[in-house]
Amino acid sequence: MNPNTHLPPNFLAALRSVVRTESIYTDPATCQGYAYDNSRRYSLPQVVVLAQTEEDVRGVVTTCYRHRVPVVARGRGTGTTGSAVPIAGGVVLSLERMHRIVRIDPDNRYAVVEPGVTNQTLQDALAPHGFFWPPDPTSAAYATIGGNLAFNSAGPRAVKYGTPRDNTLGLRVITGTGESMRVGTYTTKGVVGYDLTRLLIGSEGTLAITTEATLKLTPLPETQHSMLALYRDMHSAARAVSRIMAQPVTPCALEFMDAKAIAMIRDYSKADIPQDAGALLIIEVDGSHAAIADAVAGITRAAQVDGSLRIQTAATAEQRAALWTMRKALSPALRTIAPKKINEDVAVPVSAMPEFLARLEQITARYRITNVNFGHAGNGNIHVNLLINPDDAGEAARAYRCLDEIFDLVLALNGTLSGEHGVGLEKRDYVARELDPVALQLMRQIQTVFDPAGILNPGKVWVP
């Protein structure tokens, strides 16, 4: 269905028979707010439904299946790959009103939540019980749990605690035929049947729509210790990352910024960052009071490589907060300066980071493209930002040739084209480069089983 195509006869009447009329919007002015996500791509849906219950979701999907109308589930639209943009028109099914924390079970270390709960709301509710949910994307204040699961979005703590796939026990979902099912367990061990939970996480709403998630909780650490490590250049910082990740203590966050990134957020930082700093690492260690000093000492030794300028400690909670304010200011600053930048989140093995960053610098210089790098260095997950003026046709063409070569480099180093942003529209043309042809064909067949009519978020993840 094209966005300009009319809806099938009687579709709206059928939709109103399963969902409250006041939850259905067809006015283009209202629908416009659901036509885009953080990718800045835009496509207007014909209908927006604000679901409040699982029955609403099931009713909408069943109706769309019977009438062969596309349906795109979305949370708050913080994704950057266009995955929530309804390029085929049809229905946008917003889950933002499904924001109940159904149950927190400290004894069994899990919480049951609806998909519209924001990450930060969940963390605030868990803290009094002494727990947290490890995934913590930079947009946690706005991003929903459903969105975290749809993209397997992790954030800085993934280096120690893993991604949503590692921290989700089970899901309730609605398939593309409108059938409801629960997958997974309430226990941390379980091998009955195929692991559909991990399959569904990261599928960007192309297999099923999540209505409830059972999340594995982790006890809050007794203490945390943050450090700012400054380096002469990004190559010495990359060598430090490899050394840090090769020693016994795993940091709970290990963030990287290059010289251009430092320049952009210098005004946001209360830390004393010298003008000759070519890169920095934000390092955070957590654990027990008894073990923290030794852990910090071990990581500090590993961080001291040729090219190290200074390693300073955030001695107070205020200083630690200032470090993370600086880090979180980077993405908005880049958006302001280059609103249509090319934003990639490739990942390479940690040991390959020095080579990747060195060759990346050569590639971008050859194409005369300004590049800003930062990211979750402990996972080798680097956010490559190509700052371009899209109105300059020559520069845009060079940038995409540059990106093509960057992707070839990532795959040559045994990396992946997306660490946490997902595929959506932005990377779908490149997916076949990474995936084995047999595996890709099997994935397409699996999608057909879950969604035989092809109505769930069509046109995403791979080329139709």
Side-chain angles (χ1 to χ4, degrees):
M1 175 180 289
N2 184 281
N4 297 317
T5 303
H6 293 295
L7 292 168
N10 303 319
F11 174 73
L12 286 176
L15 200 59
R16 292 186 178 107
S17 72
V18 295
V19 183
R20 304 169 190 82
T21 300
E22 60 269 24
S23 296
I24 302 172
Y25 300 89
T26 56
D27 176 48
T30 302
C31 293
Q32 185 170 320
Y34 297 84
Y36 58 90
D37 62 10
N38 204 27
S39 69
R40 307 295 174 92
R41 288 178 177 260
Y42 180 94
S43 183
L44 190 69
Q46 283 116 332
V47 184
V48 172
V49 179
L50 302 184
Q52 297 187 50
T53 66
E54 181 180 286
E55 283 303 303
D56 287 347
V57 177
R58 190 154 65 93
V60 170
V61 175
T62 299
T63 304
C64 288
Y65 172 64
R66 289 172 179 166
H67 290 82
R68 299 305 192 260
V69 172
V71 56
V72 178
R74 67 173 278 150
R76 296 292 186 89
T78 60
T80 62
T81 63
S83 194
V85 178
I87 57 172
V91 176
V92 165
L93 180 57
S94 172
L95 307 176
E96 63 192 287
R97 292 187 178 178
M98 293 180 65
H99 50 58
R100 291 190 310 134
I101 297 177
V102 178
R103 182 165 67 257
I104 296 174
D105 187 340
D107 291 347
N108 292 301
R109 294 192 177 188
Y110 70 75
V112 179
V113 305
E114 291 183 332
V117 176
T118 66
N119 187 292
Q120 190 61 57
T121 297
L122 175 62
Q123 307 296 2
D124 292 343
L126 296 175
H129 299 276
F131 288 90
F132 70 104
W133 191 53
D136 62 330
T138 306
S139 57
Y142 308 101
T144 62
I145 299 300
N148 295 170
L149 298 174
F151 297 105
N152 195 34
S153 299
R157 287 194 295 234
V159 62
K160 180 174 182 179
Y161 293 106
T163 69
R165 280 193 176 118
D166 304 307
N167 291 280
T168 303
L169 297 173
L171 302 169
R172 284 193 63 82
V173 300
I174 306 297
T175 70
T177 58
E179 295 174 287
S180 173
M181 68 174 176
R182 189 182 190 283
V183 298
T185 64
Y186 290 98
T187 59
T188 54
K189 295 179 73 174
V191 293
V192 177
Y194 298 133
D195 191 347
L196 297 182
T197 304
R198 291 177 67 90
L199 172 66
L200 291 169
I201 294 171
S203 63
E204 302 184 32
T206 61
L207 300 180
I209 297 174
T210 298
T211 59
E212 190 177 272
T214 303
L215 307 176
K216 183 172 68 174
L217 306 183
T218 298
L220 286 166
E222 289 182 3
T223 187
Q224 293 174 313
H225 189 104
S226 300
M227 294 173 281
L228 178 64
L230 303 170
Y231 296 89
R232 183 177 59 235
D233 52 43
M234 64 180 179
H235 311 300
S236 53
R239 289 193 298 273
V241 170
S242 294
R243 286 194 53 182
I244 290 169
M245 295 307 297
Q247 52 84 55
V249 177
T250 302
C252 63
L254 181 53
E255 298 291 288
F256 166 82
M257 292 187 200
D258 70 6
K260 294 187 182 72
I262 293 171
M264 296 187 70
I265 49 79
R266 194 180 294 275
D267 291 341
Y268 291 91
S269 173
K270 296 180 181 179
D272 178 21
I273 302 178
Q275 291 295 327
D276 62 344
L280 65 78
L281 299 176
I282 298 174
I283 309 168
E284 191 159 275
V285 188
D286 65 5
S288 66
H289 290 294
I292 196 72
D294 287 343
V296 169
I299 285 183
T300 301
R301 285 192 298 271
Q304 292 171 334
V305 299
D306 181 35
S308 175
L309 299 178
R310 186 170 73 224
I311 300 175
Q312 59 195 54
T313 297
T316 66
E318 291 75 17
Q319 291 174 347
R320 177 177 176 269
L323 285 181
W324 287 106
T325 297
M326 175 178 68
R327 167 63 180 85
K328 291 181 179 182
L330 187 51
S331 289
L334 280 166
R335 283 279 179 184
T336 300
I337 293 171
K340 294 185 178 180
K341 65 186 174 70
I342 299 175
N343 172 28
E344 299 300 336
D345 71 317
V346 298
V348 297
V350 172
S351 62
M353 271 189 58
E355 180 181 358
F356 173 68
L357 290 173
R359 294 174 63 182
L360 176 63
E361 189 174 36
Q362 296 167 1
I363 292 169
T364 54
R366 185 165 8 100
Y367 285 97
R368 306 190 311 279
I369 299 297
T370 300
N371 177 37
V372 177
N373 298 308
F374 65 96
H376 315 306
N379 300 106
N381 185 193
I382 301 299
H383 297 287
V384 177
N385 294 268
L386 306 181
L387 308 188
I388 65 168
N389 175 8
D391 297 326
D392 183 334
E395 184 177 64
R398 290 200 317 276
Y400 280 101
R401 291 198 301 272
C402 176
L403 180 64
D404 195 75
E405 196 167 327
I406 291 169
F407 282 166
D408 282 344
L409 171 61
V410 168
L411 296 177
L413 295 173
N414 294 323
T416 180
L417 302 182
S418 179
E420 61 182 0
H421 289 174
V423 174
L425 294 169
E426 300 295 332
K427 294 190 181 74
R428 68 176 187 176
D429 293 344
Y430 302 96
V431 164
R433 291 192 193 184
E434 178 171 338
L435 298 180
D436 182 281
V438 176
L440 182 56
Q441 180 60 28
L442 182 58
M443 290 178 192
R444 290 182 180 275
Q445 293 170 356
I446 290 171
Q447 183 180 21
T448 301
V449 172
F450 276 87
D451 179 26
I455 63 168
L456 295 182
N457 208 7
K460 312 296 171 56
V461 179
W462 40 62
V463 177

